[in-house]
Amino acid sequence: MNIDKHIEQQYIMAREQYAAIGVDTEKAIDMTDRIPVSIHCWQGDDVKGFEYDDRELSGGIQVTGAYPGRARNGDELRSDMEKALSMIPGRHRVNLHAIYAETNGKKVERNRLEPKYFANWVDWAKEHGWGLDFNPTFFSHPLSDDGFTLSHPDRAIRQFWIEHGQVCRSIGEYFGRELGTPCVTNIWIPDGFKDIPADRFVPRERLEASLDEILKVPIDKKYNLDAVESKLFGIGSESYVVGSHEFYMGYAIKNGILLCLDAGHFHPTEMVSDKISSILQFIPEMLLHVSRPVRWDSDHVVLLDDELQNMMHQIVREDVYDRVHIAFDYFDGSINRVAAWVIGGRNARKAILTAFLEPSEKLKQAEIKGDYTGRLALMEELKTYPIQAVWDYYCLSHGILPRERWLDEVYRYEKDILSKRD
Ligand code: RNT
Ligand code: ZN
């Protein structure tokens, strides 16, 4: 049987099944399609950036794997991302780091970066109608080699990183103004100690003062939104991280900025999905770094697992998709990197669709009535409802390859393009 025809027929039956529990599948597809998800450029080149040829990734984060075909410049990276995004449905944004500046071979220090070095990215995003997000890069640099940046005891080093933060916010502003959608500029720093600190207080005081200096440059929120990202520990900062969750939660509330929660930055039994509703009581908007920790903050490719689903359920059930910015943060160099984007990207979109296919009101009513039996029973039955039929139809009707058909496209791209790189 013709597969497209088959998908349409299955969808018609699924639509009826969902209608019977009060779910409008057309509306679910439409809502799913509208939610922006920011895809990170750094999956495409193992977080190397364009600044140095020979510098190892630092800051306590790691990419493993030597799969051939890593993007080596802006054009390759853009072409790879374009390929990946053509196989993921929905509204896209692209997330950049400062190390992806294109300086035409000129050495430009990070505290001297300017919007013009990102003009290629902006032109490209404009052409596709995508928004851009941004991150100052506080790692993989000689001045971060001893493990401290914004909380460094040396005033001059701190100053360098403060200036980096400041120029990055104006680059974010430029993205927002050019593209007509605010850029989320997210600050993550690696600062911390491998072993037990004698003073936990003063580095945090210094971090607060540095952040204040970065943020004191006035920038219109219409164009740039500031976020801060916490962490529990990193490689080499096992005993103490200056920018902890409590630190940034306090900082974000006090200063009215966004708080970023990375799914890999908490204790393994803590669930980021449960934190969203607490944070939104006190902070108007937040950022999610969708990642997958395996035993530690390993940044594996995002799976369609319970935690991803729970995060999307939280956002959709509570109607907070305008307040939660969704972005990816994973990097795997052991598989085809374009496929890594597509797998994670499609999974996030599937989880969003699944959340919209839930009769949330029914579940909430059962809860209010104290019918916890009904709540649990319905939640479990919903897991095997024909989500795939709606997903396939969503892809097909939006010109996106359904099911695993996209994989042939990735292999073709690998053969024609990626395998020809070095
Ligand atoms: C590191 C943070 C941070 C980085 C990216 C590359 O632990 O998660 O977000 O992964 O900025
Ligand atoms: Zn992150």
Side-chain angles (χ1 to χ4, degrees):
M1 189 199 262
N2 171 310
I3 293 194
D4 294 0
K5 188 102 204 89
H6 196 213
I7 288 175
E8 272 165 27
Q9 285 173 352
Q10 283 189 322
Y11 172 66
I12 291 166
M13 287 171 70
R15 187 171 59 192
E16 270 178 42
Q17 195 180 337
Y18 278 108
I21 51 164
V23 173
D24 178 345
T25 52
E26 307 286 329
K27 192 167 162 228
I29 290 175
D30 187 48
M31 291 303 291
T32 302
D33 203 50
R34 283 187 211 195
I35 294 192
V37 175
S38 195
I39 191 124
H40 55 319
C41 75
W42 52 93
Q43 162 59 46
D45 77 332
D46 307 341
V47 208
K48 256 189 144 2
F50 309 144
E51 228 175 39
Y52 299 97
D53 286 335
D54 49 355
R55 198 159 236 286
E56 286 292 303
L57 175 60
S58 76
I61 53 178
Q62 261 173 24
V63 187
T64 47
Y67 201 88
R70 188 179 73 80
R72 297 159 302 180
N73 54 52
D75 289 338
E76 288 181 353
L77 195 49
R78 280 185 287 272
S79 148
D80 294 357
M81 293 190 91
E82 229 168 85
K83 188 81 230 169
L85 290 174
S86 75
M87 293 176 272
I88 306 170
R91 227 171 100 196
H92 306 303
R93 302 179 62 84
V94 171
N95 204 356
L96 301 178
H97 244 282
I99 47 172
Y100 295 89
E102 290 171 287
T103 60
N104 242 324
K106 198 171 113 199
K107 168 98 186 137
V108 179
E109 258 315 336
R110 289 192 200 168
N111 60 344
R112 296 280 173 266
L113 284 172
E114 290 174 54
K116 65 178 182 201
Y117 300 120
F118 293 88
N120 291 341
W121 289 106
V122 167
D123 291 346
W124 176 71
K126 242 183 220 167
E127 193 186 304
H128 292 278
W130 297 332
L132 286 179
D133 296 308
F134 201 45
N135 304 260
T137 312
F138 293 98
F139 50 84
S140 302
H141 188 278
L143 291 182
S144 70
D145 277 350
D146 51 11
F148 287 85
T149 61
L150 291 178
S151 72
H152 202 289
D154 181 334
R155 170 78 226 185
I157 295 182
R158 238 160 42 233
Q159 186 57 33
F160 173 83
W161 291 114
I162 289 168
E163 287 170 11
H164 179 54
Q166 290 170 337
V167 297
C168 284
R169 289 181 68 229
S170 24
I171 293 164
E173 180 190 34
Y174 153 74
F175 288 171
R177 185 171 303 191
E178 288 290 316
L179 301 167
T181 164
C183 165
V184 178
T185 298
N186 176 50
I187 294 181
W188 172 75
I189 60 164
D191 302 29
F193 282 118
K194 180 185 177 73
D195 226 324
I196 307 152
D199 187 351
R200 291 174 185 265
F201 203 87
V202 168
R204 289 186 171 137
E205 265 180 353
R206 284 196 294 256
L207 175 55
E208 184 181 9
S210 295
L211 291 169
D212 287 348
E213 286 196 51
I214 293 176
L215 294 178
K216 84 175 181 222
V217 182
I219 282 184
D220 195 335
K221 283 190 181 162
K222 219 163 87 203
Y223 305 121
N224 181 72
L225 297 167
D226 299 295
V228 282
E229 179 180 5
S230 69
K231 194 160 181 172
L232 179 63
F233 79 92
I235 306 282
S237 60
E238 289 85 353
S239 301
Y240 171 74
V241 165
V242 184
S244 63
H245 176 56
E246 293 70 17
F247 176 90
Y248 280 130
M249 174 114 188
Y251 192 85
I253 294 172
K254 185 172 169 188
N255 296 282
I257 60 168
L258 278 67
L259 182 67
C260 171
L261 295 186
D262 183 307
H265 289 194
F266 294 85
H267 191 277
T269 61
E270 272 184 278
M271 294 282 114
V272 160
S273 53
D274 181 53
K275 298 177 189 294
I276 297 170
S277 50
S278 301
I279 286 163
L280 292 182
Q281 306 293 330
F282 304 104
I283 301 176
E285 291 177 60
M286 58 174 290
L287 171 65
L288 270 188
H289 263 193
V290 182
S291 178
R292 175 169 53 111
V294 177
R295 304 190 190 284
W296 66 290
D297 179 36
S298 58
D299 298 292
H300 276 59
V301 176
V302 167
L303 299 188
L304 186 55
D305 59 12
D306 285 353
E307 180 57 353
L308 179 70
Q309 190 58 66
N310 287 336
M311 289 194 279
M312 299 314 176
H313 272 318
Q314 282 304 302
I315 294 170
V316 170
R317 280 184 197 149
E318 309 311 328
D319 233 356
V320 290
Y321 29 82
D322 291 339
R323 299 174 60 195
V324 182
H325 301 258
I326 306 169
F328 291 116
D329 184 14
Y330 58 82
F331 19 99
D332 187 340
S334 72
I335 60 172
N336 179 302
R337 294 174 186 80
V338 174
W341 273 315
V342 181
I343 294 166
R346 288 173 75 106
N347 280 340
R349 206 48 80 172
K350 278 183 195 168
I352 296 172
L353 177 66
T354 303
F356 277 113
L357 288 171
E358 180 188 82
S360 312
E361 266 319 301
K362 260 199 166 64
L363 292 171
K364 287 181 187 168
Q365 282 308 318
E367 186 165 281
I368 287 168
K369 284 192 283 180
D371 179 14
Y372 303 152
T373 313
R375 181 186 61 184
L376 182 63
L378 183 52
M379 276 184 185
E380 288 306 294
E381 287 302 327
L382 284 166
K383 286 182 181 168
T384 45
Y385 261 56
I387 292 159
Q388 190 217 359
V390 183
W391 167 258
D392 285 346
Y393 178 76
Y394 170 32
C395 289
L396 196 65
S397 59
H398 286 67
I400 301 288
L401 292 169
R403 302 190 185 164
E404 62 281 10
R405 249 193 269 171
W406 62 268
L407 193 54
D408 290 334
E409 192 57 34
V410 168
Y411 286 142
R412 194 167 315 126
Y413 188 74
E414 177 167 291
K415 187 165 158 279
D416 296 347
I417 312 274
L418 300 179
S419 68
K420 309 226 159 85
R421 291 181 191 161
D422 58 49

